[in-house]
């Protein structure tokens, strides 16, 4: 029902909502008289209409409330339920106007509202000194629980002033909101006190490579329907979430092709069995994967092979694949074909493809692996002599090896600067072969990535061109010639720009013999021991071992290595400003409710035990309410770079 005298009143929404529920009534002339004070008897009647509360104590009759008094039963109920009491002289004073402070004390007492009681009244209210000592904690609790509605001045609580019918209606409605029995009414006059606390947990990058080349991880076959492909991606992402991973490295360009809709390169052979053939029914696997990762709090880094052109002779290259459009810069190499990194058309194609994805898709990272110039074949030389000679003829002075390294370096530097100019929040990472050069450090033996793959990963790290380096340390801990801890510490010691180091770990070697799950567990523990040197996580190759639980690795991750969830580490050189804390956080019964926000990536929920705050869960951005057991919680906002706000404290 709408009353004639509240149409422009600040409390209209509260009054009408209570009227619709039969909790308040107006007068015979169609008015509500919102500015009329409310008596103690009227307030007792309002309480009885609004709340269902069981008696807590036996009734003691008041000398000034006869059994025939119109509100006698309501007064009795208000006393028995603990909402209201009388005066020391045994009276109730039913006709006396009730003070605002008495209304809040009644609601907090009768409904058993609990809060920290730490709302700083003197900071919130200019007239806090007028609040009687006996009511301070109750008013602090009323403030924390959203019961205080102060019109026309949020800074004046007017505790001793008689409550009006409009004010009593708004206070009672807010109590029903707190109980979760009515919807929230947005009002500028509700005092919103927010207690915040600094909370945190140990951050760690936890990722897996998902390879599509040779259908290693996805799709399991080149004949799958769209529904089957999507089901496999869901299984991958669900598995990562269940193991408390927080990122996926998804291969989208294994050989000059595309796992996504592109005008620059053809659909991948590994997706449909025919290069250039889209999935059917049509969909964009990358766009779809991004949406699924958002729902599961997984960062998605897209993985490009910059120069590999074909790995299988089954593949028939079609335009606009570079082997079809520019075959003169694509060379046979063993059973594969390889683009010439020194050719301008190759450099421009690789750059354009990566920037195209960067601009069109909401990815979290751009990722390159260890394939730059191809791995050597005994007795063969990479056939780029014409390209090198053209460079020399144009005045170039670098040796062949330095020129090759420079070709790769220029791509890495160009990508680094362009990523930061285009989308500064997107991370750039490379996972090079784990040995930089034999003898660095002294005991290390193996392939020389600097001199044979022409990959100067040390330069990329020390120039700060990458945000993270993920050296593929696919060896065990103990053998000295390729020792996991020795190599990891060497890389960490070269990290003068203080970027992140996320070593790659080889799950495909797990055999229950020389390689068992304890080896992987120890490797993660070693990584964590180098946290101070910014070794801040691990990337596992590959997803198949996690899906099949090879040698129990999934079980060990779930029960021991990654027992609890974690956010990725913050990269302060990108952006480290904390986001705005969650807004409109409130407790409705046993539910914690808050408002959505456009710039949020996720929410973190902590629970207090003594003086310790422990992370309970990481929630997707679409979540705005939770049912919780009783306790004290802190809710934080997390942005796309994993910066975390202060926690808004809520007592359930």
């Amino acid at each position: 029902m709408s009353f004639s005298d509240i149409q422009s009143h600040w409390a209209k929404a509260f009054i009408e909502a209570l009227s619709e529920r039969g909790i308040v009534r107006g007068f015979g002339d169609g008015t509500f008289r919102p500015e009329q004070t409310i008596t103690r008897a009227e307030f007792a009647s309002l309480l009885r209409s609004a709340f269902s509360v069981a008696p807590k104590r036996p009734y003691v009759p008041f000398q000034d409330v006869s059994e025939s008094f119109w509100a006698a039963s309501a007064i009795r109920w208000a006393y028995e339920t603990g909402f209201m009491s009388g005066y020391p002289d045994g009276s109730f004073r039913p006709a006396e106007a009730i003070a605002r402070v008495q209304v809040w004390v009644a609601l907090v007492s009768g409904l058993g509202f609990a809060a920290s009681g730490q709302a700083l009244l003197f900071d919130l209210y200019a007239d806090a000194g007028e609040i009687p000592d006996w009511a301070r904690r109750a008013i602090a609790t009323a403030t924390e629980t959203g019961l205080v509605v102060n019109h026309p001045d949020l800074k004046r609580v007017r505790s001793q002033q008689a409550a009006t019918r409009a004010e009593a209606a708004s206070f009672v409605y807010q109590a029903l909101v707190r109980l979760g029995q009515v919807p929230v009414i947005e009002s500028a006059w509700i005092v919103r006190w927010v207690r915040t606390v600094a909370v945190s947990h140990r951050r760690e990058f936890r990722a897996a490579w998902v390879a599509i080349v040779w259908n290693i991880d996805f799709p399991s076959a080149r004949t799958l329907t769209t529904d089957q492909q999507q089901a496999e991606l869901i299984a991958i992402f669900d598995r990562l979430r269940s193991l408390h991973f927080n990122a996926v490295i998804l291969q989208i360009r294994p050989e000059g092709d595309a796992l996504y809709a592109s005008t620059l390169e053809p659909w991948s052979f590994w997706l449909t069995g025919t290069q250039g053939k889209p999935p059917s029914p049509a969909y964009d696997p990358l766009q779809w994967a991004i949406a699924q990762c958002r729902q599961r709090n997984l960062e998605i880094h897209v993985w490009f092979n910059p120069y590999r052109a074909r790995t299988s002779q089954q593949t028939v290259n079609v335009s606009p694949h570079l082997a079809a459009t520019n075959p003169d810069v694509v060379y046979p190499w063993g059973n594969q074909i390889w683009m010439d990194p020194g050719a301008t058309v190759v450099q421009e194609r690789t750059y354009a493809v990566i920037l195209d994805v960067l601009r069109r898709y909401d990815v979290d990272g751009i990722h390159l692996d260890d394939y730059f110039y191809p791995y050597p074949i005994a007795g063969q030389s990479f056939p780029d002599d014409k390209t090198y000679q053209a460079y020399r003829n144009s005045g170039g002075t670098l040796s062949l090896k330095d020129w090759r390294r420079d070709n790769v370096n220029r791509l890495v530097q160009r990508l680094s600067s362009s990523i930061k100019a285009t989308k500064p929040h997107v991370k750039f990472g490379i996972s090079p072969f784990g040995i930089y050069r034999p003898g660095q450090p002294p005991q290390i033996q193996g392939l020389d990535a600097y001199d044979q793959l022409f990959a100067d990963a040390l330069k990329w790290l020390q120039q700060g061109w990458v945000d993270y380096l993920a050296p593929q340390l696919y060896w065990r801990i103990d053998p000295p010639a390729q020792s996991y801890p020795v190599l990891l510490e060497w890389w960490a010691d070269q990290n003068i720009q203080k970027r992140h180091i996320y070593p790659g770990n080889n799950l495909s070697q797990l055999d229950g013999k020389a390689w068992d799950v304890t080896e992987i567990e120890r490797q993660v523990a070693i990584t964590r021991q180098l946290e101070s040197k910014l070794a801040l996580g691990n990337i596992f190759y590959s997803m198949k071992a996690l899906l099949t639980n090879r040698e129990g690795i999934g079980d060990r991750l779930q029960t021991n290595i990654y027992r609890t969830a974690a956010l990725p580490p913050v990269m302060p050189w990108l952006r480290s400003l904390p986001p705005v804390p969650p807004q409109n956080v409130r407790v409705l019964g046993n539910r914690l409710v808050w408002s959505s926000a456009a710039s949020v990536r996720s929410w973190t929920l902590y629970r207090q035990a003594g003086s310790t705050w422990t992370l309970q869960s990481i929630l997707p951005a679409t979540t705005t309410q939770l049912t919780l057991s009783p306790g004290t919680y802190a809710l934080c906002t997390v942005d796309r770079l994993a910066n975390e706000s202060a926690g808004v404290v809520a007592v359930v």
Side-chain angles (χ1 to χ4, degrees):
M1 177 178 178
S2 184
F3 303 102
S4 61
D5 56 346
I6 66 167
Q7 295 311 302
S8 60
H9 197 275
W10 66 268
K12 176 185 177 183
F14 299 107
I15 295 166
E16 289 183 343
L18 292 183
S19 176
E20 289 170 2
R21 291 166 173 78
I23 294 173
V24 299
R25 294 184 296 275
F27 295 90
D29 61 359
T31 64
F32 185 78
R33 304 178 193 174
E35 297 306 314
Q36 181 175 301
T37 58
I38 187 169
T39 67
R40 286 170 55 81
E42 290 169 337
F43 184 64
S45 180
L46 173 59
L47 289 172
R48 191 179 187 189
S49 298
F51 305 108
S52 296
V53 178
K56 300 182 181 72
R57 59 187 179 182
Y59 180 57
V60 177
F62 297 106
Q63 63 183 13
D64 54 350
V65 180
S66 67
E67 291 184 6
S68 61
F69 183 62
W70 72 270
S73 62
I75 292 170
R76 176 175 184 142
W77 176 90
Y79 180 86
E80 289 176 341
T81 52
F83 280 97
M84 301 181 74
S85 297
Y87 291 90
D89 62 1
S91 66
F92 185 80
R93 305 179 192 175
E96 182 176 277
I98 188 168
R100 286 161 58 92
V101 65
Q102 293 176 346
V103 172
W104 289 315
V105 169
L107 290 169
V108 169
S109 301
L111 297 173
F113 284 158
S116 71
Q118 295 178 4
L120 301 177
L121 300 180
F122 283 88
D123 289 344
L124 286 165
Y125 305 121
D127 57 349
E130 298 173 13
I131 301 172
D133 291 344
W134 57 268
R136 289 189 184 281
R137 185 169 183 86
I139 290 187
T141 299
T143 301
E144 287 188 47
T145 51
L147 306 190
V148 179
V149 187
N150 278 349
H151 177 275
D153 186 351
L154 287 171
K155 296 290 289 181
R156 298 189 65 82
V157 73
R158 295 171 286 126
S159 61
Q160 303 295 341
Q161 185 173 309
T164 66
R165 284 167 53 82
E167 291 169 340
S170 67
F171 302 162
V172 167
Y173 189 88
Q174 286 300 103
L176 291 168
V177 168
R178 175 73 179 186
L179 293 171
Q181 297 177 8
V182 296
V184 171
I185 290 175
E186 297 298 336
S187 170
W189 305 112
I190 299 170
V191 176
R192 301 191 187 279
W193 178 81
V194 177
R195 175 189 167 205
T196 61
V197 63
V199 290
S200 63
H201 63 280
R202 185 176 190 172
R203 304 294 193 91
E204 187 171 40
F205 193 73
R206 303 169 177 177
W209 279 290
V210 176
I212 73 165
V213 68
W214 290 102
N215 300 112
I216 291 172
D217 297 309
F218 170 81
S220 60
R222 299 184 290 280
T223 56
L224 299 187
T225 66
T226 288
D227 286 345
Q228 290 170 328
Q229 289 180 6
Q230 291 178 349
E232 288 195 350
L233 283 173
I234 286 176
I236 287 170
F237 300 147
D238 281 348
R239 180 63 166 162
L240 291 173
R241 179 177 61 176
S242 73
L243 297 177
H244 293 139
F245 279 58
N246 51 37
V248 60
I249 315 294
L250 178 64
Q251 189 176 40
I252 65 167
R253 192 209 193 214
E255 46 185 23
D257 51 0
L259 188 75
Y260 58 94
S262 173
T263 60
L264 300 178
E265 294 190 308
W267 286 100
S268 177
F269 164 79
W270 304 108
L271 187 65
T272 62
T274 302
Q275 191 173 89
K277 180 182 177 181
S280 179
Y283 85 113
D284 187 326
L286 178 54
Q287 191 64 56
W288 197 84
I290 290 168
Q292 296 301 312
C293 286
R294 294 288 174 264
Q295 296 174 23
R296 293 163 177 80
N297 296 310
L298 294 170
E299 286 192 358
I300 181 165
H301 295 224
V302 285
W303 165 16
F304 298 84
N305 292 87
Y307 305 121
R308 191 169 61 193
R310 192 178 71 199
T311 60
S312 169
Q313 295 179 354
Q314 301 175 67
T315 305
V316 177
N317 295 122
V318 298
S319 182
H321 192 280
L322 207 67
T325 61
N326 299 83
D328 56 316
V329 295
V330 179
Y331 312 137
W333 189 248
N335 293 324
Q336 305 180 65
I337 61 174
W338 213 268
M339 303 177 204
D340 184 343
T344 300
V345 66
V346 171
Q347 296 167 356
E348 293 304 315
R349 170 65 65 88
T350 299
Y351 174 80
V353 163
I354 294 174
L355 264 289
D356 174 58
V357 171
L358 177 70
R359 292 187 180 107
R360 291 197 293 124
Y361 293 90
D362 185 27
V363 299
D364 297 300
I366 300 295
H367 185 94
L368 307 181
D369 65 7
D370 55 316
Y371 289 99
F372 294 97
Y373 280 81
Y375 279 80
I377 298 175
Q380 295 190 33
S381 299
F382 189 69
D384 59 352
D385 48 301
K386 289 183 180 179
T387 314
Y388 177 63
Q389 190 59 51
Y391 160 77
R392 295 284 292 185
N393 291 342
S394 68
T397 59
L398 295 175
S399 68
L400 174 64
K401 290 184 176 182
D402 286 340
W403 171 75
R404 287 175 174 173
R405 271 187 294 274
D406 184 61
N407 291 330
V408 178
N409 287 342
R410 285 187 292 110
L411 172 69
V412 172
Q413 184 179 23
R414 187 181 182 191
L415 286 173
S416 177
S417 60
S418 296
I419 290 166
K420 295 301 172 281
T422 305
K423 288 186 177 178
H425 57 268
V426 172
K427 303 170 184 178
F428 182 35
I430 301 180
S431 57
F433 184 73
I435 297 171
Y436 177 61
R437 305 205 71 179
Q440 295 192 35
Q443 71 191 63
I444 297 301
Q445 303 172 22
L447 181 129
D448 190 334
Y450 176 86
D451 207 42
Q452 293 179 280
L453 304 182
F454 306 100
D456 193 350
L458 183 61
K459 183 182 185 73
W460 312 334
L461 179 66
Q462 294 190 332
Q463 291 294 322
W465 292 345
V466 292
D467 297 306
Y468 66 88
L469 198 75
Q472 296 174 18
L473 304 185
Y474 290 173
W475 303 283
R476 292 188 294 123
I477 294 169
D478 296 330
Q482 295 97 22
S483 168
Y484 179 91
V486 172
L487 283 165
L488 176 56
E489 187 151 20
W490 182 86
W491 282 108
D493 286 342
Q494 314 312 310
N495 188 16
I496 59 175
Q497 294 287 350
K498 299 190 181 303
R499 297 311 196 231
H500 289 178
I501 306 292
Y502 307 145
N505 305 77
N506 193 355
L507 302 183
S508 64
Q509 293 275 29
L510 288 172
D511 58 6
K513 300 173 184 176
W515 281 85
D516 62 15
V517 293
T518 302
E519 175 73 26
I520 300 299
E521 189 171 21
R522 290 173 64 203
Q523 290 185 2
V524 174
I526 288 166
T527 305
R528 288 170 172 168
Q529 290 167 10
L530 292 174
E531 180 180 13
S532 64
K533 295 185 177 183
L534 299 179
L536 297 175
N538 296 83
I539 308 177
F540 297 95
Y541 183 84
S542 72
M543 188 66 214
K544 181 180 288 186
L546 299 173
L547 283 173
T548 60
N549 195 29
R550 180 175 295 166
E551 297 298 326
I553 183 59
D555 297 337
R556 188 67 62 90
L557 284 162
Q558 203 163 41
T559 60
N560 190 25
I561 302 173
Y562 293 159
R563 285 195 303 270
T564 59
L567 291 172
V570 169
M571 293 181 169
W573 60 92
L574 297 183
R575 187 180 69 237
S576 59
L577 291 175
V580 175
Q583 300 295 297
N584 298 322
V585 179
R586 52 203 181 273
V587 176
L588 310 179
N590 62 345
R591 289 186 302 130
L592 185 65
V593 179
W594 61 97
S595 296
S596 60
S599 60
V600 172
R601 171 58 62 85
S602 57
W603 316 94
T604 48
L605 183 73
Y606 294 79
R607 185 169 184 173
Q608 186 178 30
S611 60
T612 302
W613 293 90
T614 302
L615 181 67
Q616 297 293 293
S617 56
I618 302 173
L619 308 165
T622 53
T623 300
T624 55
Q625 61 176 298
L626 281 177
T627 299
L628 299 170
S629 57
T632 301
Y633 297 87
L635 182 72
C636 307
T637 302
V638 182
D639 68 16
R640 67 177 307 137
L641 283 170
N643 294 300
E644 198 173 19
S645 74
V648 175
V649 177
V651 179
V652 177

